[in-house]
Amino acid sequence: MNVLNLQTGTFKVYSPSQNDPTTLDGSSSYAIFKDRNERIWVASMSGVNLYNREKDNFIRIKDLDALTIDIDQDTKGNLWFSTQGEGLFKYHPEKQIWKNYRHDDKQLGSLANNQVNCTLIDTNGEVWIGTMDGLCKYNPEEDTFEAIPLEIPSHNICSIIEDQHILWLTTTKGLIRYIPGEGCQIFTKSDGLQSDQFLPNAGFKASDGKIYIGSVNGFNAFYPYQIKTNTVLPPVVITELEIFNKAIRVGDGLLPKALDKMQELELSYKDNVFSLLYASLSYCTPKKNKYAYKLEGFDKDWNYVDSQNKATYTNLPAGTYTFRVKATNNDGIWNEKGTSLKITIHPPFYWSTASKLIYFIMVCIAFGFLIRFIIKRTEKKHTAEINKLNKNKEKEVHEAKIKFFTMIAHEIRTPVSLIIGPLEKIMKSSLTLPAAVRDDLNIIDRNSQRLLFLVNQLLDFRKVEQEGMKMKFAPQNIHQLLKAVCERFEPFIAQHGAHLRIEYPDMDFTAIIDSEAITKLVSNLLTNASKYTKDEVLLSCITQPKQHTFVIRVTDNGIGISKEEQEKIFKPFYQAMDNKPGTGIGLSIVKSIVESHNGCIEVESEVNKGSTFIVTLPMEQSKNISQEEETAMLDNPAIPEDILPGSLPAVTPKNKPVMLIVDDNEEMLNFLSSSFSDKYNILTAEDGMEALERLKENEVTLIVSDWMMPRMDGVEFCKTVRANQSTSHIPFILLTAKTDTNSKIEGMDCGADAYIEKPFSVQYLEACIKNLVDLRSLLRQKFSKMPLVPLNSIANNSMDDKFLSRMNETIEENFSNPELSVDFLAEQLCISCSGLFAKIKTLANVTPNELIQVVRLKKAAALLAENKYRINEICYMVGFNNPSYFTKCFQKQFGMKPGEFVSGRKEE
């Protein structure tokens, strides 16, 4: 190695000596690097050397057994050594830790190739590696490499240079301009390069921004900002016609004039092998022009053929086609309009108009013989029709049965669930029952499960008209109901390539309806509209105060319905001629629901212009209906009274956790209360609004909530709980009858810890609760006993994570503050002392004072792991005044003394 003294102009030569360890370990060096600490690193053909300024000699650091061609340093101080054959080496000078990254076919995330040509640390601190087999990006979190897919001629990356967040890559087949996340632009010798083949790590960016790149035939230099993209759209022309690979001259019978002047090209069926030549009138670098062509009527998609300027077709059937071609300029900018040529291929004589007429006459004669044959079979057909009528009659009887059973299926499902639940409790109890009673209970269990199975089977036929079904009328916000339905349908309609447009009524508009039935009504209409619309579905709701009614309209711009079919579409099982797959029961269900609400439904439609279904409903229902239903609900409890407790306990003992149960069904509230009253103190609420009031008044350990409830449903309630710092830590279980995937995703997205479908087993619900409690207990134990596990590891959601992180920062910032206490912490975190105590007790199972000490000890463990300070120093740094007391607390918390912890870390 030669060093030039800029002041004296003299060179000093550092020669290697095999017997002298203070000299270089090799005579050839390809990489010299000065790090941030002004240390000079010199790589030889086999190893790494560090210059010793004090003694003016070298320290041999490591023998890499490979040629090192590049050295770089990342933002964390790590040095990266790029070698030719031994992969990539990472070295931390302070910790003196080496790590070698190599290519491994069996390991996902390994280096692309062991021959590394260069390394770049960009302005964002990201590490880019150029190998013989492609570009890689280092992932420091997972300590792996991501292979960057590039559509380029050669993946042998020679050097990487960054400019304005753009990477310039030299390869063995050209220069690449790569914008991460976007695409590549390729420059070759035709663009002015000395050569397309560049040398490894032969790239440099000067202080004035000029980039120098070295190739096998010299070097190029350029300013990146001067490289402009050619945005001029190139004209495209069709230049020549070939038939059977022979060029057709202009003026010939087939080509009376040039192709770019012709509107249509006529060919005989005998000219079944023809080619069209085309050109892009971009002359900057014609070799880089690209083409795509398509023969409409034959090709389904565009054929992208790179720089090929010829399209050939063989054995095309007779007909009319349109040949289209588009092209790019030298920078890949497409002229999407391109040019086109209509091509007509005439059929042979045996498929001419006269021939078709003869064929038609022959078919008519054959058809006459067929009619004569059919007449002779009339008697047999008559018998077949009678048999068909009988089968249809049987089908109608079967459909009537299905219709009857499906109407009562919804009424059966909840009572069956409430039979199975108490029965499970009796079977599970420790009471000694006579064998005969136990056998009878087993019979009840089997048959109730069988009944539930049959009910679930019948629910598969929900698209049956529900005549005579009693409506549960109650005041309902129509805006909220329609919004809930539309939120569920918007993705569904979008999948059909259409857009849902909604015109809501006033936000406070309320009507007395059966919310579940109206939900089904709107859902059926939107489902039908999404099937037949072209690109838009309109749902609107208009109030008519004078008539005391409101109107729901669902409009599509699809195929429409003829006048004849408009009178039949509301009949069960009727399907129009152009109907898409379905049972034909949806509109029958809609009509039944409308009639049950004392409303009316009509349809306005024109063929090929779309359809509008208009539902007119009264804003109020007769009081008798609501009173009858209310009485029926009170007089007919869903489960026997002797199974449920008479009333819930009014006083809350302190030795049991508190469970909040939220459900608008009184029987379900009583059943769940009785099921968990032996292990929990029970609080109940009928909707989310009431449940929030309960949370303000009580410290709750667990929440079990239904989804569909008035005023505030379960999902909104869960989101409110998670958004509140005082309640975000409470485990939340969501019960629902919704079983579709989107509902499950919505339930988990709102922050629920578990999603349980109705009907459910009480044992399964208990198991879910136990798993939640056990999991949180394990997290707390891991946090408490493992010195380096952070405080936010016990967080169950983002709100708790932010809260615990902020608490940890507050405690660490005030280690030396004598005012650090529970009151100080509560004031800093903007929470009451009692709320802070309850939250920390639930999350960490310790008091706030104990948690402050745990944070001190964990900070001490982190400082001990760094091995920079003595134990006594760390004791005072984290707020302890007595080293012996610190040692005692550390051993009590983590089961080892500080010195043992440090020794264990060194052994690792």
Side-chain angles (χ1 to χ4, degrees):
M1 184 181 73
N2 300 284
V3 177
L4 172 64
N5 189 322
L6 297 177
Q7 296 178 350
T8 64
T10 60
F11 279 96
K12 182 175 182 179
V13 180
Y14 294 88
S15 301
S17 176
Q18 192 171 8
N19 299 324
D20 186 358
T22 64
T23 63
L24 294 170
D25 61 355
S27 59
S28 297
S29 297
Y30 286 83
I32 301 175
F33 180 73
K34 183 167 73 172
D35 65 15
R36 298 194 194 100
N37 296 325
E38 301 295 324
R39 293 173 294 198
I40 297 177
W41 302 82
V42 180
S44 67
M45 293 285 288
S46 60
V48 178
N49 306 271
L50 176 63
Y51 177 62
N52 187 341
R53 281 191 175 85
E54 296 178 355
K55 299 181 179 180
D56 193 25
N57 57 16
F58 287 89
I59 303 171
R60 297 180 181 179
I61 302 298
K62 186 176 180 64
D63 185 5
L64 303 182
D65 195 26
L67 166 64
T68 301
I69 199 166
D70 192 15
I71 307 174
D72 286 282
Q73 186 176 29
D74 63 21
T75 56
K76 296 182 180 178
N78 296 309
L79 292 174
W80 296 84
F81 297 86
S82 305
T83 70
Q84 299 282 287
E86 291 297 324
L88 189 65
F89 286 85
K90 181 175 74 172
Y91 175 58
H92 196 288
E94 281 70 28
K95 297 181 179 179
Q96 297 185 355
I97 299 174
W98 284 89
K99 184 167 184 180
N100 182 212
Y101 299 94
R102 298 178 61 85
H103 172 68
D104 188 350
D105 291 329
K106 299 179 181 178
Q107 182 179 355
L108 188 66
S110 69
L111 205 60
N113 193 283
N114 287 332
Q115 182 155 336
V116 182
N117 295 326
C118 58
T119 307
L120 170 72
I121 314 299
D122 67 15
T123 53
N124 295 325
E126 295 180 331
V127 182
W128 299 85
I129 302 94
T131 73
M132 181 181 280
D133 199 22
L135 179 67
C136 296
K137 181 180 177 182
Y138 178 62
N139 185 343
E141 296 179 358
E142 300 180 4
D143 197 27
T144 58
F145 294 89
E146 175 191 357
I148 306 300
L150 301 176
E151 295 183 4
I152 55 180
S154 170
H155 289 84
N156 187 353
I157 309 299
C158 297
S159 65
I160 310 172
I161 303 168
E162 182 192 18
D163 181 78
Q164 300 294 324
H165 304 291
I166 297 174
L167 300 183
W168 294 85
L169 315 175
T170 62
T171 70
T172 54
K173 290 187 179 179
L175 173 66
I176 310 300
R177 181 178 184 266
Y178 170 57
I179 302 177
E182 297 183 17
C184 296
Q185 186 176 358
I186 304 170
F187 299 93
T188 61
K189 193 173 181 180
S190 60
D191 293 300
L193 296 177
Q194 294 288 346
S195 172
D196 290 342
Q197 185 172 354
F198 290 89
L199 297 174
N201 200 33
F204 171 70
K205 180 180 177 182
S207 58
D208 62 350
K210 196 170 190 177
I211 293 177
Y212 296 83
I213 48 177
S215 67
V216 297
N217 194 29
F219 71 91
N220 282 85
F222 64 93
Y223 289 100
Y225 68 86
Q226 293 179 344
I227 307 298
K228 305 294 184 180
T229 301
N230 181 6
T231 59
V232 178
L233 296 179
V236 185
V237 294
I238 302 174
T239 59
E240 190 175 347
L241 170 67
E242 292 182 357
I243 295 179
F244 293 103
N245 293 324
K246 292 183 179 181
I248 306 300
R249 297 180 179 179
V250 177
D252 197 345
L254 293 175
L255 283 181
K257 51 186 176 180
L259 282 170
D260 59 340
K261 306 294 184 181
M262 294 178 62
Q263 298 295 324
E264 182 178 3
L265 174 65
E266 296 186 4
L267 298 175
S268 168
Y269 73 94
K270 296 180 181 180
D271 303 324
N272 58 355
V273 178
F274 69 92
S275 302
L276 291 171
L277 282 74
Y278 40 81
S280 171
L281 304 184
S282 175
Y283 304 107
C284 294
T285 311
K287 293 181 180 180
K288 298 178 70 176
N289 295 342
K290 297 181 181 180
Y291 301 93
Y293 65 84
K294 177 182 180 182
L295 186 62
E296 292 182 352
F298 182 76
D299 292 325
K300 293 182 179 180
D301 300 307
W302 286 91
N303 299 297
Y304 290 88
V305 293
D306 204 18
S307 59
Q308 177 185 323
N309 65 336
K310 181 178 179 180
T312 302
Y313 289 93
T314 61
N315 297 322
L316 287 177
T320 301
Y321 305 90
T322 301
F323 178 75
R324 297 188 182 277
V325 61
K326 58 184 181 179
T328 70
N329 60 17
N330 60 304
D331 281 337
I333 305 300
W334 285 95
N335 179 352
E336 295 290 346
K337 183 178 179 181
T339 188
S340 62
L341 176 65
K342 183 178 179 182
I343 301 174
T344 300
I345 300 179
H346 296 287
F349 73 93
Y350 50 80
W351 202 239
S352 62
T353 304
S355 299
K356 291 180 180 178
L357 182 59
I358 295 173
Y359 300 151
F360 176 74
I361 295 172
M362 294 174 66
V363 170
C364 290
I365 294 173
F367 188 68
F369 282 103
L370 180 62
I371 292 175
R372 184 178 178 184
F373 175 75
I374 291 174
I375 292 174
K376 291 182 179 180
R377 296 184 59 190
T378 302
E379 187 173 351
K380 292 182 179 180
K381 280 219 168 196
H382 180 68
T383 303
E385 288 293 332
I386 293 175
N387 293 334
K388 185 177 179 180
L389 288 173
N390 290 334
K391 289 181 180 180
N392 288 339
K393 187 66 177 178
E394 292 176 1
K395 181 180 178 182
E396 289 178 2
V397 173
H398 171 73
E399 289 173 347
K401 292 178 181 179
I402 295 298
K403 183 177 181 180
F404 170 76
F405 284 113
T406 306
M407 281 193 299
I408 64 172
H410 285 286
E411 299 297 328
I412 295 175
R413 193 172 188 178
T414 299
V416 169
S417 301
L418 292 174
I419 291 171
I420 293 174
L423 181 60
E424 283 184 352
K425 291 178 61 179
I426 297 172
M427 300 282 286
K428 182 182 173 184
S429 69
S430 59
L431 296 175
T432 303
L433 298 175
V437 175
R438 180 68 67 176
D439 291 340
D440 290 341
L441 290 175
N442 287 331
I443 293 173
I444 295 173
D445 183 41
R446 287 195 302 270
N447 284 277
S448 60
Q449 295 290 346
R450 173 64 177 167
L451 180 57
L452 181 59
F453 174 75
L454 292 175
V455 169
N456 288 335
Q457 276 190 324
L458 288 173
L459 289 177
D460 291 337
F461 297 93
R462 290 182 64 130
K463 291 184 179 180
V464 176
E465 189 176 16
Q466 300 181 4
E467 294 179 356
M469 181 179 179
K470 291 184 178 180
M471 298 288 106
K472 296 180 181 179
F473 295 113
Q476 174 67 43
N477 186 301
I478 304 300
H479 182 279
Q480 293 179 359
L481 184 146
L482 293 179
K483 184 177 181 181
V485 175
C486 292
E487 287 177 351
R488 180 163 54 90
F489 267 86
E490 278 183 332
F492 173 76
I493 293 175
Q495 288 178 356
H496 286 72
H499 168 68
L500 176 61
R501 189 159 57 90
I502 311 149
E503 296 177 1
Y504 290 113
D506 293 339
M507 294 187 66
D508 57 352
F509 173 62
T510 302
I512 298 177
I513 58 168
D514 183 331
S515 59
E516 184 178 354
I518 297 302
T519 298
K520 294 176 183 176
L521 179 149
V522 177
S523 298
N524 270 297
L525 293 179
L526 288 176
T527 300
N528 275 355
S530 65
K531 286 182 182 178
Y532 299 104
T533 190
K534 291 180 181 177
D535 54 11
E536 184 179 74
V537 176
L538 171 63
L539 169 64
S540 64
C541 181
I542 303 171
T543 58
Q544 297 176 334
K546 293 183 179 180
Q547 291 83 6
H548 297 284
T549 60
F550 65 99
V551 178
I552 297 175
R553 291 173 174 261
V554 177
T555 303
D556 66 78
N557 59 355
I559 60 176
I561 307 171
S562 65
K563 292 290 185 181
E564 295 77 17
E565 290 181 331
Q566 290 179 23
E567 300 174 0
K568 303 175 184 178
I569 56 175
F570 293 107
K571 294 181 180 180
F573 306 107
Y574 178 79
Q575 293 183 315
M577 294 181 62
D578 295 329
N579 195 48
K580 296 192 176 182
T583 61
I585 300 177
L587 291 178
S588 176
I589 294 174
V590 170
K591 185 177 181 183
S592 177
I593 293 173
V594 171
E595 291 176 349
S596 298
H597 281 75
N598 301 314
C600 63
I601 183 171
E602 54 185 326
V603 58
E604 296 177 355
S605 179
E606 290 184 28
V607 177
N608 296 324
K609 291 187 178 180
S611 305
T612 300
F613 288 84
I614 306 169
V615 177
T616 305
L617 299 175
M619 294 182 182
E620 299 178 353
Q621 301 291 337
S622 62
K623 293 183 179 179
N624 293 333
I625 296 176
S626 298
Q627 290 175 352
E628 287 176 5
E629 293 210 357
E630 184 177 356
T631 304
M633 291 176 65
L634 294 174
D635 293 342
N636 296 286
I639 57 176
E641 293 179 358
D642 57 346
I643 293 179
L644 302 176
S647 61
L648 296 175
V651 180
T652 303
K654 296 184 178 179
N655 58 347
K656 290 195 291 186
V658 179
M659 176 187 290
L660 173 59
I661 303 174
V662 190
D663 201 307
D664 59 343
N665 186 301
E666 184 179 355
E667 287 81 3
M668 186 62 74
L669 275 179
N670 293 335
F671 170 61
L672 292 176
S673 299
S674 65
S675 300
F676 293 98
S677 59
D678 57 333
K679 298 179 182 178
Y680 293 87
N681 293 315
I682 305 299
L683 297 174
T684 62
E686 295 185 355
D687 56 44
M689 299 292 289
E690 186 179 345
L692 291 176
E693 295 298 323
R694 295 282 187 275
L695 287 175
K696 292 178 182 178
E697 301 167 358
N698 302 274
E699 294 181 2
V700 175
T701 308
L702 177 70
I703 300 174
V704 178
S705 174
D706 189 22
W707 183 321
M708 299 297 292
M709 297 181 294
R711 295 201 298 174
M712 178 184 286
D713 62 23
V715 171
E716 187 177 353
F717 173 48
C718 181
K719 291 179 179 178
T720 305
V721 169
R722 289 290 179 250
N724 190 329
Q725 182 174 269
S726 302
T727 59
S728 61
H729 61 280
I730 303 175
F732 197 106
I733 297 178
L734 193 62
L735 307 177
T736 178
K738 295 185 175 183
T739 59
D740 59 284
T741 303
N742 289 335
S743 297
K744 294 178 182 178
I745 294 172
E746 182 182 358
M748 298 309 292
D749 285 346
C750 74
D753 295 287
Y755 183 98
I756 300 178
E757 302 172 6
K758 291 182 180 179
F760 56 86
S761 164
V762 176
Q763 294 180 7
Y764 177 71
L765 179 56
E766 289 177 347
C768 288
I769 293 174
K770 182 177 182 300
N771 285 343
L772 279 175
V773 174
D774 290 348
L775 179 60
R776 296 200 175 192
S777 177
L778 286 173
L779 288 174
R780 289 196 294 263
Q781 185 177 1
K782 180 180 177 183
F783 160 74
S784 177
K785 298 300 180 184
M786 299 182 71
L788 299 179
V789 175
L791 177 59
N792 60 358
S793 66
I794 59 175
N796 299 291
N797 50 67
S798 59
M799 177 62 74
D800 288 347
D801 185 273
K802 293 177 183 178
F803 175 80
L804 292 173
S805 298
R806 185 180 170 197
M807 178 188 294
N808 191 81
E809 292 175 2
T810 303
I811 295 173
E812 289 187 0
E813 291 171 358
N814 291 274
F815 276 158
S816 59
N817 187 351
E819 296 182 359
L820 179 61
S821 62
V822 177
D823 293 337
F824 175 80
L825 201 56
E827 181 182 353
Q828 294 296 314
L829 297 175
C830 302
I831 189 173
S832 67
C833 290
S834 60
L836 179 64
F837 183 89
K839 191 172 185 71
I840 294 177
K841 190 68 177 175
T842 302
L843 288 172
N845 198 26
V846 295
T847 65
N849 281 324
E850 292 171 341
L851 184 64
I852 292 173
Q853 181 164 298
V854 171
V855 173
R856 293 181 190 271
L857 293 173
K858 284 188 174 289
K859 181 62 177 178
L863 292 172
L864 288 170
E866 294 178 2
N867 201 20
K868 293 182 179 179
Y869 308 97
R870 296 194 300 272
I871 295 177
N872 288 351
E873 291 177 324
I874 293 174
C875 163
Y876 295 109
M877 289 170 68
V878 297
F880 283 88
N881 297 322
N882 189 326
S884 61
Y885 179 67
F886 164 71
T887 302
K888 181 180 178 181
C889 292
F890 193 94
Q891 184 176 16
K892 180 181 178 181
Q893 184 68 37
F894 302 126
M896 66 181 81
K897 294 180 179 180
E900 296 173 350
F901 173 73
V902 174
S903 300
R905 293 289 297 178
K906 289 182 178 178
E907 292 176 2
E908 293 177 3

